[in-house]
């Protein structure tokens, strides 16, 4: 009964957490909730194609998540890996929303793994870079799409059809903005519906996870150029993929490094570049190309500003001070008049031990554990870095490169045996990895069933 009451109280507090106090949510949970309307709309419009791509992408995210966890438990990873990175499961759905319906399974899995590797391992080292790695992944996807020839299809009959912006450029055909808002047009599986994208972006703004200046500036930039060229304003603004790239990708506060007062100008520049690229026939790809171009320019400006500030802040070497020592009642000594100041020899600072003092007679000295919470916060950080770089209690375990490779490749019976035979893993971790492995087998079986029935 106590467990049921605690569960009831937790469920009773969920609506208050999601709607009344959303700023307490972390980025991954907020993005997961904001992606739900996109996933539902994609499955409703594209049915089996969308379900298959979402399943493959999610399974790829599970593989990457388990690989990262096993890497941390076996040989340890540096502390900067995963810093400000999107959770692998959320990242898999985020990338899958931009896939065309006829994307091959191996392309979908490769794009998800590529984004997780870049976002988790490479991007944290770059630090001051205002360029979302998803834009690079979408560029690679565009190149593969042009080489293999898979594109967009009509969600009603499944026939190949260009996206609305390409039709507007080729045939001067303006599609009803209501259809774009609903989503019954050709396009990526998760972002054809501008209404679903607006619902998710509104929730992200409500949770204070995205910058409103970037989104509004992007729409204003598109509207300004559309009015100049006398194009249909509602048609240009109701593009679901463009709203997705601006709201979910470019406006992420973890990636926005410029001050808040400059975010609107950033969005305006990206919107104008997007509209100009549409005018020259780039179609659906103009949004990520415009955002990529403006992000590169912003990154160069940030780097140049940091370089200039670094040069200004370099302290100049000053000449040593010379003192005039005059004693009362005595004439000054000309030999000591301009003598330099005597440098004091640095004295060693006595380190205080947090475990026991040297003056206590009956003090029970106990060994200091790794990551001891009783020490200073700086000591805690140093202990974590030392364990991640030089090796600590997390480095004991599997030493064989072959076993590590098999365990990191995929969770299989060999990986389960290694999981239960490794002494460094506790019982909850073993049960968690075993449960996820069973889910992986069930999902793989379901995927195989879908592939067989799809044929």
């Amino acid at each position: 009964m106590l467990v049921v009451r605690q569960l009831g109280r937790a469920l009773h507090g969920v609506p208050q957490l999601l709607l009344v106090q959303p700023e307490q949510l972390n980025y991954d949970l907020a993005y997961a909730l904001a992606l739900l309307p996109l996933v539902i709309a994609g499955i409703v419009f594209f049915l089996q194609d969308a379900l298959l791509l979402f399943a493959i992408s999610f399974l790829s995210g599970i593989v990457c998540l388990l690989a990262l966890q096993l890497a941390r438990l076996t040989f340890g990873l540096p502390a900067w890996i995963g810093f400000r990175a999107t959770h692998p499961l959320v990242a898999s759905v985020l990338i899958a929303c931009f896939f065309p319906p006829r994307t091959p399974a191996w392309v979908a899995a490769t794009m998800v793994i590529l984004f997780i590797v870049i976002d988790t391992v490479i991007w944290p080292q770059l630090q001051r870079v205002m360029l979302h790695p998803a834009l690079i992944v979408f560029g690679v996807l565009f190149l593969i799409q042009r080489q293999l020839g898979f594109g967009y299809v009509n969600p009603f009959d499944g026939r190949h059809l260009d996206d609305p912006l390409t039709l507007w450029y080729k045939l001067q055909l303006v599609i009803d903005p209501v259809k774009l808002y609903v989503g019954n047009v050709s396009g990526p599986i998760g972002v054809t519906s501008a209404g679903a994208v607006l619902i998710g972006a509104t929730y992200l703004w409500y949770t204070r996870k995205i910058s409103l200046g970037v989104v509004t500036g992007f729409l204003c930039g598109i509207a300004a150029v559309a009015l100049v060229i006398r194009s249909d304003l509602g048609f240009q603004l109701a593009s679901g993929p463009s709203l997705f790239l601006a709201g979910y990708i470019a406006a992420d506060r973890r990636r926005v490094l410029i001050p808040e007062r400059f975010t609107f100008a950033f969005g305006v520049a990206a919107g104008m570049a997007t509209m100009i690229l549409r005018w020259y026939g780039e179609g659906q790809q103009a949004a990520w190309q415009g955002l990529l171009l403006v992000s590169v320019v912003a990154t160069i400006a940030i780097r140049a500003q940091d370089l200039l500030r670094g040069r200004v802040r370099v302290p100049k070497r000053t000449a040593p001070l010379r003192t005039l020592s005059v004693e009362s009642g005595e004439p000054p000594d000309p030999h000591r008049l301009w003598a330099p100041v005597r440098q004091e020899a640095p004295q060693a600072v006595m380190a205080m031990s947090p475990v026991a003092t040297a003056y206590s007679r009956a003090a029970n000295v106990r060994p200091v554990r790794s990551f001891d919470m009783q020490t200073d916060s700086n000591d805690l950080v140093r202990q974590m870095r030392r364990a991640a770089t030089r090796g600590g209690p997390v480095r004991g375990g599997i030493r064989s490169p072959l076993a590590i490779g098999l365990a990191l490749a995929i969770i299989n019976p060999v990986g389960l045996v290694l999981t239960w035979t490794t002494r460094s893993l506790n019982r909850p971790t073993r049960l968690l990895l075993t449960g996820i492995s069973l889910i992986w087998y069930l999902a793989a079986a379901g995927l195989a069933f879908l592939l067989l029935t799809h044929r």
Side-chain angles (χ1 to χ4, degrees):
M1 292 297 296
L2 180 61
V3 176
V4 174
R5 291 179 182 178
Q6 293 178 351
L7 181 61
R9 292 176 182 176
L11 294 177
H12 182 71
V14 168
Q16 182 179 3
L17 179 63
L18 299 182
L19 300 176
V20 182
Q21 299 175 339
E23 64 277 358
Q24 297 183 3
L25 300 176
N26 56 14
Y27 277 85
D28 295 324
L29 184 56
Y31 265 81
L33 295 175
L35 288 172
L36 284 179
L38 279 64
V39 175
I40 295 174
I43 294 176
V44 168
F45 286 115
F46 296 99
L47 300 176
Q48 191 173 358
D49 291 334
L51 186 61
L52 181 63
L53 288 176
F54 280 129
I56 292 174
S57 302
F58 196 75
L59 291 178
S60 303
I62 292 177
V63 171
C64 293
L65 177 62
L66 295 178
L68 291 173
Q69 294 297 332
L70 288 176
R72 290 190 177 96
L73 293 173
T74 52
F75 53 84
L77 292 178
W80 47 262
I81 289 185
F83 178 70
R84 288 187 180 179
T86 307
H87 194 274
L89 300 182
V90 180
S92 63
V93 180
L94 184 70
I95 298 299
C97 288
F98 209 74
F99 288 153
R102 298 296 173 83
T103 303
W106 67 271
V107 174
T110 303
M111 293 299 101
V112 171
I113 295 174
L114 177 63
F115 174 74
I116 294 175
V117 170
I118 294 177
D119 189 32
T120 307
V121 180
I122 300 177
W123 233 242
Q125 297 184 82
L126 301 179
Q127 296 179 356
R128 300 273 293 173
V129 174
M130 190 177 169
L131 179 62
H132 202 289
L135 299 177
I136 300 177
V137 175
F138 293 152
V140 176
L141 177 64
F142 173 65
L143 297 177
I144 297 176
Q145 179 181 350
R146 293 186 62 180
Q147 295 297 326
L148 299 182
F150 62 90
Y152 305 110
V153 296
N154 193 338
F156 295 103
D157 52 15
R159 294 185 302 177
H160 178 77
L161 185 65
D162 291 331
D163 60 271
L165 292 173
T166 303
L167 294 175
W168 164 74
Y169 173 76
K170 292 181 178 179
L171 307 175
Q172 298 300 318
L173 177 64
V174 178
I175 300 177
D176 187 6
V178 177
K179 293 184 178 181
L180 295 174
Y181 183 83
V182 174
N184 52 354
V185 292
S186 58
I189 58 174
V191 294
T192 55
S193 174
V197 175
L198 284 177
I199 292 174
T202 303
Y203 185 75
L204 288 177
W205 168 77
Y206 183 67
T207 56
R208 304 297 187 268
K209 299 301 183 294
I210 62 175
S211 175
L212 185 62
V214 174
V215 181
T216 55
F218 183 80
L219 296 178
C220 290
I222 291 179
V225 180
L227 292 176
V228 170
I229 65 176
R230 297 182 181 180
S231 178
D232 188 88
L233 186 60
F235 169 74
Q236 298 293 342
L237 293 177
S239 175
S242 301
L243 296 175
F244 169 76
L245 292 171
Y248 284 76
I249 303 298
D252 190 350
R253 289 187 181 273
R254 293 172 296 182
R255 320 282 180 169
V256 178
L257 302 179
I258 60 177
E260 190 67 26
R261 62 182 181 273
F262 297 133
T263 55
F264 182 80
F266 175 86
V268 170
M272 295 178 66
T274 299
M275 194 61 203
I276 293 173
L277 291 172
R278 289 180 184 177
W279 179 255
Y280 283 97
E282 290 299 325
Q284 203 71 69
Q285 312 298 330
W288 68 263
Q289 292 174 1
L291 289 169
L292 180 64
L293 177 62
V294 179
S295 298
V296 170
V297 174
T299 300
I300 294 175
I302 292 173
R303 288 291 189 175
Q305 186 180 10
D306 293 343
L307 182 60
L308 294 177
R309 288 181 178 178
R311 289 183 177 180
V312 172
R313 292 179 180 178
V314 173
K316 298 181 179 180
R317 297 184 60 184
T318 57
L321 297 178
R322 300 179 183 273
T323 59
L324 178 62
S325 58
V326 179
E327 297 181 3
S328 176
E330 296 182 359
D333 188 0
H335 298 285
R336 299 173 55 190
L337 186 59
W338 301 103
V341 178
R342 185 178 59 183
Q343 299 292 336
E344 297 292 339
Q347 300 295 329
V349 180
M350 182 177 61
M352 300 300 294
S353 173
V355 180
T357 59
Y359 298 98
S360 58
R361 297 181 179 178
N364 295 325
V365 180
R366 57 182 180 87
V368 180
R369 299 172 299 171
S370 298
F371 310 113
D372 196 346
M373 298 304 296
Q374 295 182 1
T375 58
D376 186 60
S377 60
N378 295 326
D379 295 336
L380 176 62
V381 174
R382 285 194 292 268
Q383 293 173 16
M384 293 177 65
R385 291 177 177 175
R386 189 183 304 111
T389 56
R390 300 182 180 178
V394 296
R395 297 195 61 164
I398 306 173
R399 295 291 184 178
S400 175
L402 179 60
I404 293 174
L406 294 175
L408 295 179
I410 192 172
I411 296 300
N412 47 25
V414 177
L416 291 177
V417 171
L418 293 175
T419 301
W420 285 95
T421 54
T422 303
R423 297 181 179 180
S424 61
L425 301 179
N426 52 14
R427 185 176 180 82
T429 304
R430 295 175 181 175
L431 294 176
L432 177 62
L433 294 177
T434 305
I436 296 177
S437 302
L438 296 178
I439 296 175
W440 164 258
Y441 289 129
L442 294 176
L447 178 61
F449 178 76
L450 287 176
L451 292 175
L452 293 176
T453 55
H454 184 67
R455 294 179 180 178

